Amino acid sequence: MSHGQPNETSGFETRAIHAGQPPDPATGSVITPVYLTSTYVQEQVGITKGYEYSRTGNPTRTALEECIASLEGGKHGLAFASGMAAITTLLLAALKPGDHVVLADDVYGGTYRLFNRTFKEYGVEFTLADMTHPDEVEAAVTPATRMLWAETPTNPLLKVLDIAALARIADAHNARLVVDNTFASPYLQRPLELGANVVLHSATKYLGGHSDVVLGLIVTSDELIRGKLAFNQNSIGAVPGPLDSYLVLRGIKTLAVRMREHSANAQRLAEYLETHPKVVRVYYPGLPSHPQYEVAKKQMSMPGGMLSFDIAGGEEAALKFVSCTRVFALAESLGGVESLIEHPGAMTHASLAGSPIEIGPALIRLSVGIESADDLLADLDQAFAQV
Ligand code: P1T
């Protein structure tokens, strides 16, 4: 490793702290500066130091783009104003009217809404498939299919999709496999290494890690997609500012240690919930009872910090429970150091109401933070006592 510049053999933790972030050449600043500028002086027309306008490129954003590409094991990283901005730019870059997408039947409510309400208007069709069953995916493919869209683990039911198996199906049909890796983060799972063509993040979640920024990231080694994405990143302009880019860069430095704690805490809570008399079912890939436990062990280094459960007593008990916790804050989003609780049916996945993939009213989702596991367990215990 030369000063501040990791190579391909450097470990994940080293790359998380240093990739794309050599000491600032102008000052020696160890930390990448926040380049708060919209524009860059040109010596003569077209003679620049590599930057001309901050929608097109900004050095703080470049550092983040290089860092995420390194962590996902891909050639190119691109940053966007939000996860949804990343998804929108990708769909506009990769699809045209008449194209068809096979969409996982459990995805973030906003992703479903974007396909179902926004892109449908522009002639992009989709079919939902339970992607835990490869034959269902095969059956959903049509001659117009250009993309398989997977999330794994899925939001909010924590289904684990076999990325390598999906990549084989995509390949066989000349379609691209996109994996939304938000729930796992590259520390737990690297979809490109398993054959995915594009990996996408709501960096608002684990990559940022502190619930203080909204940002989206895409990584790909596919040159055609990269070219179209880079063009559209500038042409559409849904880019993050330098301060937001900096916040995610800072968050990523501790990603590995945070994910280890998130995962250990979630495992403990999942095991507690599984034996609780007021819990009907727990959804957590770290439990041997999880239907894709073996797939999770194969493609993830740890099961992660997200879990869901069905509470006994249906919607009434669920709505009561989520307002009874004291350490877990009732809020949308996930992946921060602090624990959050929510009711997907009425909150993050309300846009699925009335659809074939509506979320059950008894489902509660936890984003398990890195507070003391004893405190988290006691908090759930006192909330159960009130329902
Ligand atoms: O919120 P934004 O940064 O635009 O990212 C959208 C998004 C994309 N993909 C997944 C898997 C997500 O979970 C999200 C956002 N999800 C929430 C806000 C949530 O609470 O589930």
Side-chain angles (χ1 to χ4, degrees):
M1 180 169 153
S2 66
H3 206 81
Q5 291 171 320
N7 56 39
E8 334 55 83
T9 63
S10 303
F12 185 95
E13 289 86 343
T14 308
R15 286 178 287 122
I17 293 167
H18 296 291
Q21 302 157 80
D24 179 47
T27 62
S29 167
V30 166
I31 297 303
T32 303
V34 183
Y35 284 90
L36 280 171
T37 186
S38 60
T39 192
Y40 307 81
V41 70
Q42 309 197 6
E43 227 173 85
Q44 294 169 34
V45 174
I47 306 295
T48 68
K49 292 187 161 69
Y51 294 93
E52 52 199 40
Y53 186 58
S54 275
R55 168 160 42 74
T56 321
N58 174 283
T60 316
R61 191 176 100 202
T62 303
L64 173 60
E65 292 174 332
E66 288 180 7
C67 185
I68 191 64
S70 168
L71 296 185
E72 285 288 3
K75 283 193 192 150
H76 311 290
L78 297 107
F80 299 89
S82 67
M84 296 317 300
I87 298 174
T88 301
T89 308
L90 175 60
L91 296 184
L92 287 169
L95 301 173
K96 57 182 186 337
D99 285 349
H100 174 261
V101 178
V102 181
L103 179 63
D105 69 351
D106 187 47
V107 289
Y108 170 54
T111 304
Y112 177 77
R113 183 176 57 200
L114 188 70
F115 277 100
N116 192 45
R117 300 276 298 274
T118 310
F119 274 87
K120 236 187 187 166
E121 297 268 315
Y122 293 91
V124 173
E125 300 293 332
F126 69 94
T127 304
L128 294 167
D130 179 352
M131 290 197 172
T132 61
H133 295 293
D135 43 331
E136 279 204 27
V137 180
E138 284 279 3
V141 170
T142 76
T145 302
R146 294 287 167 269
M147 184 182 280
L148 308 188
W149 189 282
E151 254 179 35
T152 182
T154 65
N155 181 3
L157 295 175
L158 283 302
K159 290 186 188 185
V160 176
L161 312 182
D162 187 332
I163 297 170
L166 291 173
R168 283 193 292 274
I169 298 174
D171 260 5
H173 295 280
N174 246 329
R176 288 195 175 87
L177 174 62
V178 179
V179 175
D180 184 331
N181 201 23
T182 298
F183 267 34
S185 89
Y187 183 61
L188 303 187
Q189 166 179 287
R190 284 175 295 283
L192 298 181
E193 292 173 3
L194 299 168
N197 304 100
V198 180
V199 60
L200 182 140
H201 285 278
S202 169
T204 313
K205 313 299 181 333
Y206 287 108
L207 295 171
H210 298 76
S211 304
D212 52 9
V213 60
V214 171
L215 194 141
L217 291 168
I218 293 178
V219 180
T220 187
S221 299
D222 179 326
E223 298 297 340
L224 187 67
I225 280 290
R226 187 262 172 173
K228 289 184 172 186
L229 264 176
F231 175 82
N232 274 310
Q233 182 191 40
N234 182 49
S235 175
I236 294 167
V239 293
L243 186 56
D244 289 350
S245 301
Y246 167 79
L247 286 170
V248 176
L249 266 179
R250 181 160 83 162
I252 286 175
K253 289 177 195 287
T254 55
L255 178 67
V257 282
R258 284 188 286 106
M259 291 315 291
R260 294 197 283 264
E261 294 299 313
H262 281 296
S263 205
N265 279 0
Q267 183 75 39
R268 182 143 167 234
L269 294 193
E271 287 168 12
Y272 154 83
L273 288 167
E274 201 170 38
T275 59
H276 199 285
K278 289 182 180 166
V279 172
V280 177
R281 179 170 171 191
V282 182
Y283 306 80
Y284 184 65
L287 294 175
S289 59
H290 188 283
Q292 294 93 39
Y293 178 68
E294 292 303 326
V295 183
K297 271 213 304 205
K298 188 178 70 174
Q299 72 183 19
M300 301 175 75
S301 59
M302 290 173 195
M306 294 302 296
L307 72 85
S308 295
F309 64 97
D310 288 322
I311 194 167
E315 183 165 30
E316 199 189 341
L319 291 175
K320 178 93 193 285
F321 188 90
V322 298
S323 51
C324 284
T325 53
R326 294 170 191 153
V327 183
F328 281 88
L330 175 57
E332 304 199 357
S333 203
L334 59 113
V337 290
E338 67 292 314
S339 292
L340 302 180
I341 188 167
E342 66 123 2
H343 184 266
M347 295 170 66
T348 52
H349 292 69
S351 60
L352 305 189
S355 82
I357 56 169
E358 181 170 315
I359 300 299
L363 191 81
I364 292 171
R365 190 187 77 181
L366 302 181
S367 172
V368 181
I370 63 171
E371 301 96 335
S372 144
D374 289 342
D375 291 341
L376 297 178
L377 215 138
D379 191 33
L380 295 183
D381 233 13
Q382 65 80 28
F384 276 120
Q386 298 184 58
V387 297

